[in-house]
C-alpha cells in the first residue's frame, strides 16, 4: 500500500469517526478537516482520539501525539499506522 492510498483510508475513517462522535451534519468534509476538536468543541473529545488509536492499531501512543486539526490528525495517523504484512495487496511469495 503506498502512502497516498494509506492516507486516503485514514482520511475516510477519521472523517467517519468524527461525524459519529460530533454533531456535524451541516458541516462539509473540508470544513471538518480544519476543526481542532480539543479546542473548538465543548464536548468530550477523548473518545474520538481513543477510537482513532484503537482502529489504527496505535494504542500504545498517547492521544496528545495525534491532536491538532482533523487534517493534522490524518497526517500523523498515516505516519504512525503500522503496516501489517497481510493488510496490503503488495506482497511477495517466499
Amino acid at each position: 500500500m503506498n502512502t497516498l492510498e494509506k492516507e486516503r483510508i485514514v482520511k475516510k475513517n477519521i472523517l467517519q469517526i468524527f461525524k459519529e462522535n460530533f454533531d456535524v451534519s451541516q458541516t462539509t468534509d473540508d470544513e471538518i478537516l480544519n476543526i481542532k476538536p480539543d479546542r473548538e468543541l465543548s464536548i468530550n473529545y477523548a473518545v474520538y482520539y481513543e477510537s482513532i488509536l484503537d482502529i489504527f492499531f496505535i494504542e500504545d501512543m498517547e492521544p496528545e501525539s495525534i491532536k491538532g486539526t482533523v487534517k493534522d490528525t490524518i497526517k500523523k495517523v498515516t505516519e504512525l499506522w503500522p503496516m501489517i504484512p497481510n493488510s496490503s495487496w503488495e506482497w511477495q511469495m517466499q
Side-chain angles (χ1 to χ4, degrees), residues 9-20:
I9 292 167
V10 171
K11 179 179 178 181
K12 179 181 175 187
N13 282 282
I14 287 180
L15 285 171
Q16 184 62 34
I17 292 167
F18 190 91
K19 290 173 183 177
E20 289 173 2

Side-chain angles (χ1 to χ4, degrees), residues 18-41:
F18 190 91
K19 290 173 183 177
E20 289 173 2
N21 284 282
F22 306 109
D23 183 26
V24 291
S25 58
Q26 301 298 321
T27 309
T28 67
D29 287 355
D30 288 334
E31 292 171 328
I32 291 172
L33 291 173
N34 293 309
I35 293 175
K36 266 189 133 171
D38 55 326
R39 296 226 171 98
E40 296 178 30
L41 301 173

